[in-house]
Amino acid sequence: MGAGLTPSSLSPRPKESPKPMNITKKSLFIGIFLLCQNIWELGSITLNTRTLFAIISCLIMAAFKKIVVIGAGTMGSGIAAHLANSNREVILLDLKGKESANQISENAIDIIKKSDPPLLVERSRLEHIKPGNLEDDFDEIKDADWVIEAVVERIDIKHKLYSQIDKVRSPNSIISSNTSTIPLSILTQEMSDSMKADFCITHFFNPVRFMRLLEIVETPTMNKDKMGGLRDFCKNELGKGIVNCNDTPGFIGNRIGVYAMQVAMYEALERGLPVEIADALFGRPLGIPKTGVFGLYDLIGIDLMKDVLASFKKELQEDDPFMDVVKPHPLVEQLLEKGFNGNKGPGGFYQTTIVEGDEHIKAMNTSDMSYYDFDKVDLEIARRVEKEGIKALLDNDSEYGRYAFAVLAKIINYSAFCIPEVSSKVTDIDDALRMGFNWNEGPFELLNEYGLTKFVQRLQDEKQEVPELLTTMIRLKQEPYDSTSSRAYNHEAGMKFISRGEGVRRLGDHKKYANPLSRNFAATIWQFNDEPREQKILCCEFHTKANALNADAMKILEESVNRLEQDNYQGLVVYNEAMNFSAGADLNTMIGLADVKDWKGIDKYLSDFQSACMKMKYASKPTVSAVAGLAIGGGFEVACQTSKMVAHMNSTLGLVETGVGLVPGGGGCKELLWRWVQDKKYINDHDQAALQVFDIIGYGLMAHSPLQAKKHKFFLDDDIFVLNRDNLLVEAFNQVSLLKSGYSAPKKPKFTLSGPEVKEKMHQVLLDLEQKKIIFGYDVDIGLHLATVLSGGDTTKSKELSEADLYNLERQSLINLIQSNKTRDRIHAMLSTGRRLKN
């Protein structure tokens, strides 16, 4: 929190008589009205799942109308921003400022406004946040439904604050702390019994909008009805994945996640692995974000990590295996002594410098703490993992394989050690790591993939101690997950069916016991039996690095459509549970062909890409794209050519090909143009629509939510967005059900463009931007190729252009551009450094 809250800054307030429950007659009336509205929209009063969900949603909307967040630091302001995303009234309080009363909270709101990536799903949501200070505005707590404390981690300050809150709050309110280090038992030591019954920990992860995990720790006396309402609100309105935690140090996510970081660091440094190699191994090959451990240390802040470790050292028992690595590594201490605390300072394990506007990243030599240039790491063993799975790495008898297994073994063993202390369910631990640290699979899911028996045998062969939990599972002949049904291990109750709640279905659960219909290393076809609607649905899952769409991925997509047409399926859903739906067409494929001047090979790749998308678009049965994370470039081209798009609220959509010297070649230009020419404003002037699309694609614009995406027509009014990512698959199935009756393929586009006439207008736009030094020489060339596509090429308004004509223009323009050395230099730079080359 900005200046640090002190007990003396909290002026006492007289306690008022209790107010009635906030679900008042007025609120109930609103809820009933909204319910009736939902029933009207559904066209039925049948008490089905959707109607029940509408009832719950309406009651939630009525119950949580005003929320107060105390503490306008990084976490408090992030929580306030995400609450505003749910259209709730949010009061953000902090200490009284020196220059103006609300200086601290107003500064926090200004940071929210400028945040990148944006903390708000659309700019207008900022209006829901009201700044205030703890002296003048403390009475705002009186009629708040929920008060969230996010102040500095000092128990004396928190206790004083809770005492003051208790004097003015409504007895029907919920109070929670965002603490990540202080146990609930200590937080509640000085509380009244009535406040204890309304108090819990709600531990959000940063950045709040984008991190799915919400850990909840409740008191034994917590009001169960209130707790249920809070969970429903956080799940359905904030889109959070909730994990219930026992009151233990670090709860689940940080306890095991920070341990994993420490183990990965200690092992790498003791083995003398370069930091960039360690990050390449303890990263994507294991389904962990590409920052790895050293990159994540720099991102979090080396100084902050030292404080986190100090907290664990204070709270953990001496016999806890975490104690072996709880101390900051000596190298970390040396970095801090030099003032190197990571990305927010002069550097850390990596150092970033700006040279002529471009970022240059160097890695630290851990032997002498000097920095050196390095190329983007491309390990052959990592490529094998993409095709063969994690066993290819863990069983590899090299320093890389031995490092990976040593780290993963300790993480799995520690996860086993923590059951049942942190939770009795393996699913809770896996969920916490997946949603809080963005792992593709949690520790027990990785163990399940490797094989419990094989893992235990290897521990024994290497004379390592086998955790009691794993010994018990071997004795009971139980794996972490059942390979024949959706069940998982529960220490208290044995194998139990995984219950995700109403409206939730995960492909990850399905994959543990289902067999694929078809698969290659890039994509897989799954079959779902959607029993409530008595329908069989195909699911096409991409699973390459960043879900880049290579020839193999598109081959599986086309096979999915062929199966849809030939067999008794009701629809196709394109979906995956990786961080990103797809970051685009595979640049490695295209540059590999371009470097040997195989232009025919590129043409075939693009033709096959377009063909798969066209077959999907004009299938005789509905197709739905279920999008989360990045759906840009080729990823957006696939998503936008389905019958319907269902997108998570945090999806990023756009066509960004110009940044690497290309134009969209998989139907993106054609599809976006078709969307714009259907706008009533442009339906009789396709040239003006083309100029709009020229700006959108030329600038490589991206929208960071479906609401923002509507402005550019990346997302249509008929498309559906969901707040909780866990609802994506069920909503996609629901859309198939709604579309399938009487479904017919969309009409085929026709364009009337003026060709050279409108292209010249686009050229003038480019020349003006060049004169203003907004773009430079080669950007004009790229823009002219884009103009060729969007103007219709060599045409006139008297000629009608088909969809195939636009596809051909896209393909030819892309091939022309990739023949240029400047485009190939841009692609190579992006692949080797991950950054855009300005040439």
Side-chain angles (χ1 to χ4, degrees):
M1 197 166 113
L5 187 63
T6 60
S8 60
S9 69
L10 297 170
S11 55
R13 305 278 175 175
K15 187 166 183 176
E16 296 190 352
S17 57
K19 283 192 172 187
M21 179 71 174
N22 279 334
I23 303 181
T24 57
K25 290 181 181 179
K26 179 181 177 181
S27 296
L28 189 58
F29 175 79
I30 293 170
I32 294 171
F33 172 78
L34 291 167
L35 172 59
C36 292
Q37 187 179 51
N38 271 273
I39 292 173
W40 176 266
E41 290 172 355
L42 293 171
S44 168
I45 58 171
T46 303
L47 199 61
N48 55 22
T49 301
R50 296 193 74 204
T51 309
L52 285 171
F53 186 75
I55 294 171
I56 293 168
S57 297
C58 293
L59 290 175
I60 291 169
M61 290 175 70
F64 286 89
K65 295 180 65 179
K66 179 180 178 181
I67 303 170
V68 173
V69 179
I70 303 177
T74 299
M75 287 305 302
S77 59
I79 293 168
H82 196 51
L83 290 167
N85 285 333
S86 70
N87 283 318
R88 294 315 194 275
E89 178 188 357
V90 183
I91 313 298
L92 182 59
L93 302 180
D94 207 301
L95 297 175
K96 197 167 188 175
K98 294 180 180 179
E99 297 178 11
S100 64
N102 298 333
Q103 178 186 355
I104 296 174
S105 55
E106 285 173 349
N107 287 345
I109 292 171
D110 192 51
I111 291 171
I112 292 170
K113 188 189 306 181
K114 299 174 182 176
S115 58
D116 185 22
L119 296 176
L120 298 170
V121 296
E122 60 177 352
R123 197 74 173 268
S124 65
R125 301 292 166 102
L126 197 67
E127 298 171 359
H128 295 300
I129 308 176
K130 176 185 172 184
N133 69 81
L134 286 163
E135 290 185 30
D136 301 329
D137 304 298
F138 204 80
D139 282 349
E140 292 283 3
I141 291 171
K142 284 183 181 179
D143 58 348
D145 299 299
W146 183 12
V147 180
I148 304 172
E149 170 268 301
V151 305
V152 66
E153 295 284 71
R154 277 183 51 187
I155 192 60
D156 57 332
I157 293 174
K158 291 180 187 287
H159 280 168
K160 181 69 175 178
L161 177 60
Y162 298 154
S163 175
Q164 300 304 319
I165 291 172
D166 199 16
K167 293 174 183 176
V168 300
R169 76 180 185 94
S170 162
N172 300 301
S173 62
I174 292 174
I175 316 297
S176 73
S177 172
N178 186 60
T179 185
S180 60
T181 60
I182 302 176
L184 183 69
S185 58
I186 294 176
L187 291 176
T188 58
Q189 275 178 343
E190 299 179 8
M191 277 185 193
S192 65
D193 289 341
S194 61
M195 187 156 163
K196 282 182 184 179
D198 295 333
F199 185 86
C200 63
I201 290 172
T202 49
H203 179 216
F204 293 89
F205 279 63
N206 189 45
V208 178
R209 176 188 166 190
F210 297 99
M211 298 302 292
R212 294 170 63 196
L213 181 61
L214 172 61
E215 293 182 318
I216 291 182
V217 187
E218 58 187 281
T219 63
T221 58
M222 179 72 189
N223 183 299
K224 300 305 177 186
D225 290 337
K226 286 186 180 181
M227 197 69 244
L230 180 65
R231 283 197 181 90
D232 286 341
F233 173 74
C234 292
K235 182 175 71 173
N236 298 323
E237 298 290 310
L238 301 183
K240 292 301 171 187
I242 297 173
V243 171
N244 299 309
C245 305
N246 295 335
D247 189 19
T248 57
F251 314 129
I252 299 177
N254 283 342
R255 173 82 169 269
I256 296 173
V258 173
Y259 174 82
M261 290 175 63
Q262 286 300 103
V263 166
M265 171 184 286
Y266 267 76
E267 287 288 337
L269 294 176
E270 289 173 9
R271 293 166 184 266
L273 281 179
V275 295
E276 73 275 15
I277 297 295
D279 282 350
L281 293 168
F282 186 71
R284 282 177 171 149
L286 294 176
I288 294 169
K290 64 179 182 179
T291 48
V293 56
F294 294 105
L296 185 56
Y297 238 88
D298 283 354
L299 181 65
I300 294 171
I302 298 173
D303 53 343
L304 178 58
M305 281 300 300
K306 182 177 180 179
D307 292 341
V308 169
L309 292 170
S311 175
F312 275 114
K313 185 178 180 181
K314 178 181 176 182
E315 298 294 334
L316 294 173
Q317 299 296 318
E318 284 298 323
D319 62 347
D320 193 301
F322 200 149
M323 298 299 282
D324 295 338
V325 291
V326 76
K327 291 182 180 179
H329 193 279
L331 187 62
V332 169
E333 298 283 21
Q334 292 177 49
L335 280 168
L336 289 174
E337 286 174 10
K338 292 176 62 176
F340 282 58
N341 54 8
N343 293 352
K344 62 186 176 183
F349 292 103
Y350 296 94
Q351 189 176 65
T352 302
T353 56
I354 307 296
V355 179
E356 297 181 355
D358 290 331
E359 283 187 349
H360 290 267
I361 300 177
K362 295 185 175 184
M364 189 182 74
N365 185 327
T366 56
S367 62
D368 61 8
M369 299 183 70
S370 63
Y371 291 93
Y372 58 87
D373 293 316
F374 70 98
D375 293 326
K376 192 172 182 179
V377 179
D378 183 18
L379 300 176
E380 187 276 334
I381 188 65
R383 292 195 299 274
R384 281 186 55 197
V385 171
E386 282 191 38
K387 298 180 180 181
E388 303 171 27
I390 61 167
K391 292 178 184 178
L393 174 61
L394 300 179
D395 289 340
N396 186 268
D397 191 24
S398 67
E399 61 175 337
Y400 297 160
R402 290 191 293 272
Y403 166 73
F405 182 81
V407 172
L408 187 59
K410 288 185 177 180
I411 296 169
I412 290 171
N413 289 348
Y414 189 62
S415 300
F417 172 84
C418 287
I419 288 181
E421 180 192 354
V422 300
S423 172
S424 64
K425 304 174 185 176
V426 300
T427 51
D428 282 345
I429 289 178
D430 287 341
D431 283 354
L433 271 294
R434 281 193 292 103
M435 295 189 291
F437 282 75
N438 284 327
W439 291 23
N440 287 350
E441 294 181 293
F444 289 104
E445 289 172 311
L446 288 166
L447 173 60
N448 203 66
E449 183 178 344
Y450 187 72
L452 173 62
T453 302
K454 180 178 180 179
F455 178 78
V456 168
Q457 185 61 56
R458 183 163 175 182
L459 292 182
Q460 293 171 340
D461 291 344
E462 295 180 4
K463 303 295 188 290
Q464 294 189 49
E465 185 176 349
V466 179
E468 182 180 348
L469 178 75
L470 302 189
T471 302
T472 300
M473 292 170 72
I474 289 283
R475 177 172 53 80
L476 297 175
K477 297 181 179 180
Q478 294 177 343
E479 300 279 334
Y481 293 89
D482 194 317
S483 61
T484 60
S485 65
S486 184
R487 296 192 301 163
Y489 187 80
N490 183 320
H491 186 69
E492 294 178 354
M495 300 299 290
K496 297 287 288 184
F497 281 99
I498 301 170
S499 177
R500 300 292 186 188
E502 188 64 50
V504 175
R505 197 162 185 178
R506 290 183 184 170
L507 177 58
D509 293 339
H510 185 74
K511 288 161 64 174
K512 291 181 178 73
Y513 62 87
N515 293 317
L517 298 180
S518 183
R519 157 179 282 167
N520 60 31
F521 85 93
T524 299
I525 305 173
W526 302 95
Q527 175 184 308
F528 277 89
N529 296 318
D530 189 25
E531 294 174 357
R533 302 179 184 90
E534 297 181 350
Q535 57 185 359
K536 288 197 306 180
I537 296 178
L538 290 171
C539 177
C540 178
E541 176 200 19
F542 302 132
H543 43 70
T544 58
K545 181 179 177 181
N547 284 328
L549 301 173
N550 57 24
D552 287 307
M554 300 311 291
K555 180 180 178 182
I556 289 290
L557 179 61
E558 186 165 2
E559 183 184 341
S560 300
V561 179
N562 291 338
R563 285 176 177 267
L564 178 66
E565 298 285 18
Q566 296 164 7
D567 298 324
N568 186 30
Y569 295 104
Q570 280 68 53
L572 167 66
V573 173
V574 186
Y575 170 78
N576 65 75
E577 289 176 346
M579 286 182 64
N580 299 309
F581 177 80
S582 172
D586 186 29
L587 291 177
N588 281 302
T589 293
M590 287 195 281
I591 198 64
L593 294 168
D595 284 344
V596 296
K597 296 183 169 50
D598 185 0
W599 315 125
K600 289 184 178 179
I602 294 176
D603 188 58
K604 183 179 187 309
Y605 167 71
L606 293 173
S607 296
D608 291 345
F609 194 112
Q610 293 176 348
S611 174
C613 289
M614 185 174 281
K615 283 186 177 181
M616 180 175 62
K617 180 177 180 180
Y618 296 110
S620 63
K621 301 171 188 176
T623 60
V624 175
S625 53
V627 172
L630 294 178
I632 57 175
F636 175 74
E637 289 176 306
V638 168
C640 74
Q641 294 182 85
T642 55
S643 312
K644 180 88 70 172
M645 188 189 300
V646 178
H648 181 230
M649 185 59 93
N650 290 344
S651 302
T652 296
L653 308 173
L655 292 164
V656 297
E657 286 85 347
T658 54
V660 289
L662 297 172
V663 297
C669 297
K670 172 268 303 179
E671 198 64 29
L672 199 59
L673 181 58
W674 178 233
R675 293 178 174 206
W676 277 89
V677 301
Q678 292 178 93
D679 189 304
K680 61 183 180 181
K681 186 177 179 180
Y682 303 108
I683 198 164
N684 295 317
D685 192 346
H686 291 193
D687 280 358
Q688 284 301 310
L691 285 165
Q692 292 288 332
V693 177
F694 180 72
D695 280 347
I696 294 168
I697 298 178
Y699 281 113
L701 297 181
M702 292 192 296
H704 294 284
S705 76
L707 299 180
Q708 290 180 350
K710 287 185 177 184
K711 175 183 177 182
H712 307 307
K713 299 192 189 300
F714 295 142
F715 196 76
L716 300 177
D717 289 338
D718 289 339
D719 289 331
I720 306 295
F721 67 81
V722 300
L723 299 173
N724 192 312
R725 185 166 177 170
D726 276 341
N727 299 141
L728 259 180
L729 197 54
V730 168
E731 186 55 48
F733 291 169
N734 182 55
Q735 291 305 310
V736 169
S737 181
L738 292 173
L739 290 168
K740 70 182 181 183
S741 179
Y743 179 77
S744 59
K747 67 177 183 179
K748 295 192 175 183
K750 297 293 182 183
F751 304 94
T752 54
L753 298 159
S754 64
E757 183 180 327
V758 70
K759 181 177 179 180
E760 181 54 32
K761 292 180 181 179
M762 295 172 182
H763 188 198
Q764 289 303 315
V765 170
L766 293 169
L767 294 176
D768 183 53
L769 291 172
E770 185 180 33
Q771 186 177 9
K772 293 176 180 177
K773 300 189 184 304
I774 296 173
I775 64 174
F776 302 94
Y778 191 56
D779 295 323
V780 176
D781 292 343
I782 300 164
L784 285 172
H785 281 85
L786 177 62
T788 298
V789 178
L790 295 174
S791 67
D794 185 16
T795 189
T796 65
K797 283 194 174 181
S798 62
K799 180 182 177 183
E800 195 172 65
L801 297 176
S802 69
E803 188 170 28
D805 292 328
L806 269 292
Y807 266 136
N808 290 336
L809 285 169
E810 286 188 25
R811 201 168 63 250
Q812 190 55 56
S813 293
L814 189 150
I815 292 171
N816 288 340
L817 279 167
I818 206 168
Q819 290 182 38
S820 165
N821 288 331
K822 289 188 175 181
T823 284
R824 295 204 295 276
D825 287 345
R826 286 192 178 194
I827 295 173
H828 279 298
M830 180 61 69
L831 291 173
S832 62
T833 68
R835 296 184 297 277
R836 177 178 172 178
L837 174 67
K838 297 176 182 178
N839 60 349

